[in-house]
Amino acid sequence: RLLPFFRVSEAMFGFMPAHTVDSVSNTMIYIAVPVEVKFNNMGPMKSSWGDAKGNLIKFGAFMLLLGAYSSFLSDYSYEPFPTGSGSNLEDINLGNGFSRGQLINNALAAILFQLYLTTFGYGITTLTSLGGVQQLPMMLNPIFESKSPSDFWGRKWNLVVHGLLKRGVYKPVRTRFSRMTASTATFIASGIFHEWILAVLFSPEYNELEGDACIPPSCYRPGFGRSTLFFIWNAIIIAMEYLIGGAAIFQLAKRHLPSVIVSILVSSLGLPMGHWFMNDYVRSDYFEDGQLGFPLVVRVPG
């Protein structure tokens, strides 16, 4: 329900992707399809059988990888280290995020999120390529291949949602305000978008709200506000990149450190606050339900 809002904003301010407004059919395809189809001056770009085959192979490989990784984490209920951090907005404590257990939990959950989005991104790409059209990839290995925070969020992580936010929020705001203001507005919009996702996924039914009928993890009350704070934190990181990212020490590190180390350092900037966003998914039955979609190895009680 929120996707049309971003599409309408794109259209109102004139930021729809190239060639999507060349014809009524192009516009209808772009608006109707929840992923981002590639267009050229001939219309939707055509896919080949080779494209579909390659996407299917990647989908199968990531399904196996996701299954293996989830087999490990599911044995710990996706939270290997007890941390004592709560799941509500009022439970936020800046100090908790820097404990060893919380940092490891956040890192493991971040990789899990990346695997989920990558796997099912390839699944959707396989379907669209079998349907004869090409689409943008969803993920480009952001945790291990990003060169900067702006590279992480702007060129690697969930490019479908990134495109919506860039054209529906960032560019319209940028026409009147500074780059930093537009970036902050975009991250806040992303936070609100993810709060809506939480409401759709987890909000208890009316009959579950009576008394103690709502019992986690099958019934879960989201910690509304935490996702927005997580994205505001990342807006601050991007603002700091704008201000001091060109300093000699950072440029020296980018040139001389191994690229994977640079990427891990970049990803670590948001890690202490990662549980603000991820706790709702980890502590509900979200990943437990997701296990039904791929091969999993589980421990048999002795």
Coordinates of all heavy atoms in Angstrom, one line a residue, residues 13-44:
F13 N 6.8 14.7 -9.3 CA 8.0 15.6 -9.4 C 8.9 15.3 -10.6 O 10.0 15.9 -10.7 CB 8.8 15.4 -8.1 CG 8.1 16.0 -6.9 CD1 7.4 15.1 -6.0 CD2 8.2 17.3 -6.6 CE1 6.8 15.6 -4.9 CE2 7.5 17.8 -5.5 CZ 6.8 17.0 -4.6
G14 N 8.4 14.4 -11.5 CA 9.2 14.2 -12.7 C 10.4 13.3 -12.6 O 11.4 13.5 -13.3
F15 N 10.4 12.4 -11.7 CA 11.6 11.6 -11.5 C 11.4 10.1 -11.8 O 12.2 9.2 -11.2 CB 12.2 11.7 -10.0 CG 12.7 13.1 -9.8 CD1 12.0 13.9 -8.8 CD2 13.8 13.6 -10.4 CE1 12.5 15.2 -8.6 CE2 14.3 14.9 -10.2 CZ 13.6 15.7 -9.2
M16 N 10.4 9.8 -12.6 CA 10.3 8.4 -13.0 C 11.5 7.9 -13.8 O 12.1 8.8 -14.5 CB 9.0 8.2 -13.7 CG 7.8 8.3 -12.8 SD 6.2 8.1 -13.7 CE 6.3 6.3 -14.0
P17 N 11.9 6.7 -13.8 CA 13.1 6.2 -14.6 C 12.9 6.5 -16.0 O 11.8 6.6 -16.6 CB 13.1 4.7 -14.2 CG 12.4 4.5 -13.0 CD 11.3 5.6 -13.0
A18 N 14.0 6.6 -16.7 CA 14.0 6.8 -18.2 C 13.2 5.7 -18.9 O 13.3 4.6 -18.5 CB 15.5 6.8 -18.7
H19 N 12.5 6.2 -19.9 CA 11.7 5.3 -20.8 C 10.4 4.8 -20.2 O 9.6 4.1 -20.9 CB 12.5 4.2 -21.4 CG 13.8 4.7 -22.1 ND1 13.7 5.5 -23.2 CD2 15.1 4.4 -21.8 CE1 15.0 5.7 -23.6 NE2 15.8 5.1 -22.7
T20 N 10.2 4.9 -18.8 CA 9.0 4.4 -18.3 C 7.8 5.2 -18.7 O 6.6 4.8 -18.5 CB 9.0 4.3 -16.7 OG1 9.3 5.7 -16.2 CG2 10.1 3.4 -16.3
V21 N 8.0 6.5 -19.1 CA 6.9 7.3 -19.5 C 6.8 7.5 -21.1 O 6.1 8.3 -21.6 CB 7.0 8.7 -18.9 CG1 6.9 8.7 -17.4 CG2 8.4 9.4 -19.2
D22 N 7.6 6.6 -21.8 CA 7.5 6.7 -23.2 C 6.2 6.2 -23.8 O 5.8 6.6 -24.9 CB 8.7 5.8 -23.8 CG 10.0 6.5 -23.6 OD1 10.1 7.6 -23.1 OD2 11.1 5.8 -23.9
S23 N 5.5 5.4 -23.1 CA 4.2 4.9 -23.6 C 3.4 4.5 -22.4 O 3.9 4.3 -21.2 CB 4.4 3.6 -24.4 OG 4.9 2.5 -23.7
V24 N 2.1 4.4 -22.6 CA 1.2 4.0 -21.5 C 1.5 2.6 -21.0 O 1.4 2.4 -19.8 CB -0.3 4.1 -22.0 CG1 -1.3 3.6 -20.9 CG2 -0.7 5.6 -22.3
S25 N 1.8 1.7 -21.9 CA 2.1 0.4 -21.5 C 3.4 0.3 -20.6 O 3.4 -0.4 -19.6 CB 2.3 -0.5 -22.7 OG 3.4 -0.1 -23.5
N26 N 4.4 1.1 -21.0 CA 5.6 1.1 -20.1 C 5.3 1.6 -18.7 O 5.7 1.1 -17.7 CB 6.6 2.1 -20.7 CG 7.4 1.4 -21.9 OD1 7.0 0.3 -22.3 ND2 8.4 2.1 -22.4
T27 N 4.5 2.7 -18.7 CA 4.1 3.3 -17.4 C 3.3 2.3 -16.5 O 3.5 2.1 -15.3 CB 3.3 4.6 -17.6 OG1 4.1 5.5 -18.3 CG2 3.0 5.2 -16.2
M28 N 2.4 1.6 -17.2 CA 1.5 0.6 -16.5 C 2.4 -0.5 -15.9 O 2.2 -1.0 -14.8 CB 0.4 0.1 -17.4 CG -0.6 1.1 -17.7 SD -1.9 0.5 -18.8 CE -2.7 -0.7 -17.8
I29 N 3.3 -1.0 -16.7 CA 4.2 -2.1 -16.3 C 5.0 -1.6 -15.1 O 5.1 -2.3 -14.1 CB 5.1 -2.6 -17.4 CG1 4.3 -3.3 -18.5 CG2 6.2 -3.5 -16.9 CD1 5.0 -3.6 -19.8
Y30 N 5.6 -0.4 -15.2 CA 6.4 0.1 -14.1 C 5.7 0.2 -12.8 O 6.1 -0.2 -11.8 CB 7.0 1.4 -14.5 CG 7.8 2.1 -13.4 CD1 9.0 1.5 -13.0 CD2 7.3 3.2 -12.8 CE1 9.7 2.1 -11.9 CE2 8.0 3.8 -11.8 CZ 9.2 3.2 -11.3 OH 9.9 3.8 -10.3
I31 N 4.5 0.8 -12.9 CA 3.7 1.0 -11.7 C 3.1 -0.3 -11.1 O 3.0 -0.5 -9.9 CB 2.5 2.0 -12.0 CG1 3.1 3.4 -12.3 CG2 1.5 2.1 -10.8 CD1 2.1 4.4 -12.7
A32 N 2.7 -1.2 -12.0 CA 2.1 -2.4 -11.5 C 3.0 -3.5 -10.9 O 2.6 -4.2 -10.0 CB 1.3 -3.1 -12.7
V33 N 4.3 -3.5 -11.4 CA 5.2 -4.5 -10.9 C 6.0 -4.1 -9.7 O 6.5 -3.0 -9.7 CB 6.2 -4.9 -12.1 CG1 7.2 -5.9 -11.6 CG2 5.5 -5.4 -13.3
P34 N 6.0 -4.9 -8.6 CA 6.6 -4.4 -7.4 C 8.1 -4.4 -7.4 O 8.8 -3.8 -6.5 CB 6.1 -5.5 -6.4 CG 5.8 -6.7 -7.2 CD 5.3 -6.2 -8.5
V35 N 8.8 -5.0 -8.4 CA 10.2 -4.9 -8.6 C 10.5 -3.9 -9.7 O 9.6 -3.3 -10.3 CB 10.8 -6.3 -9.0 CG1 10.6 -7.3 -7.9 CG2 10.2 -6.8 -10.3
E36 N 11.8 -3.6 -9.9 CA 12.1 -2.6 -10.9 C 12.6 -3.2 -12.2 O 13.7 -3.7 -12.3 CB 13.2 -1.7 -10.3 CG 13.4 -0.4 -11.2 CD 14.2 0.7 -10.5 OE1 14.1 0.7 -9.2 OE2 14.9 1.4 -11.1
V37 N 11.7 -3.1 -13.1 CA 12.0 -3.7 -14.5 C 12.9 -2.7 -15.2 O 12.8 -1.5 -15.1 CB 10.7 -3.9 -15.3 CG1 11.0 -4.3 -16.7 CG2 9.8 -4.9 -14.6
K38 N 13.8 -3.2 -16.0 CA 14.7 -2.4 -16.8 C 14.0 -2.0 -18.1 O 13.4 -2.8 -18.7 CB 16.0 -3.2 -17.1 CG 16.9 -3.4 -15.9 CD 18.2 -4.1 -16.4 CE 19.1 -4.4 -15.2 NZ 20.4 -5.1 -15.7
F39 N 14.2 -0.8 -18.5 CA 13.6 -0.3 -19.7 C 14.7 0.4 -20.6 O 15.7 0.9 -20.1 CB 12.6 0.8 -19.4 CG 11.3 0.3 -18.8 CD1 11.2 0.2 -17.4 CD2 10.2 0.0 -19.5 CE1 10.1 -0.3 -16.8 CE2 9.0 -0.4 -19.0 CZ 8.9 -0.6 -17.6
N40 N 14.5 0.3 -21.9 CA 15.2 1.1 -22.9 C 14.2 1.7 -23.8 O 13.0 1.7 -23.6 CB 16.3 0.2 -23.6 CG 15.7 -1.0 -24.4 OD1 14.5 -1.0 -24.7 ND2 16.5 -2.0 -24.6
N41 N 14.7 2.3 -24.9 CA 13.8 3.0 -25.8 C 12.9 2.1 -26.6 O 12.0 2.6 -27.3 CB 14.6 3.9 -26.8 CG 15.6 3.0 -27.7 OD1 15.7 1.8 -27.5 ND2 16.3 3.7 -28.6
M42 N 13.1 0.8 -26.4 CA 12.2 -0.2 -27.1 C 11.1 -0.7 -26.1 O 10.3 -1.5 -26.5 CB 13.0 -1.4 -27.7 CG 14.0 -1.0 -28.7 SD 13.3 -0.3 -30.2 CE 12.5 -1.7 -30.8
G43 N 11.2 -0.3 -24.9 CA 10.3 -0.8 -23.8 C 11.0 -1.6 -22.8 O 12.2 -1.4 -22.6
P44 N 10.3 -2.5 -22.1 CA 11.0 -3.4 -21.1 C 12.1 -4.2 -21.8 O 11.9 -4.8 -22.9 CB 9.9 -4.3 -20.6 CG 8.6 -3.6 -20.9 CD 8.9 -2.8 -22.2

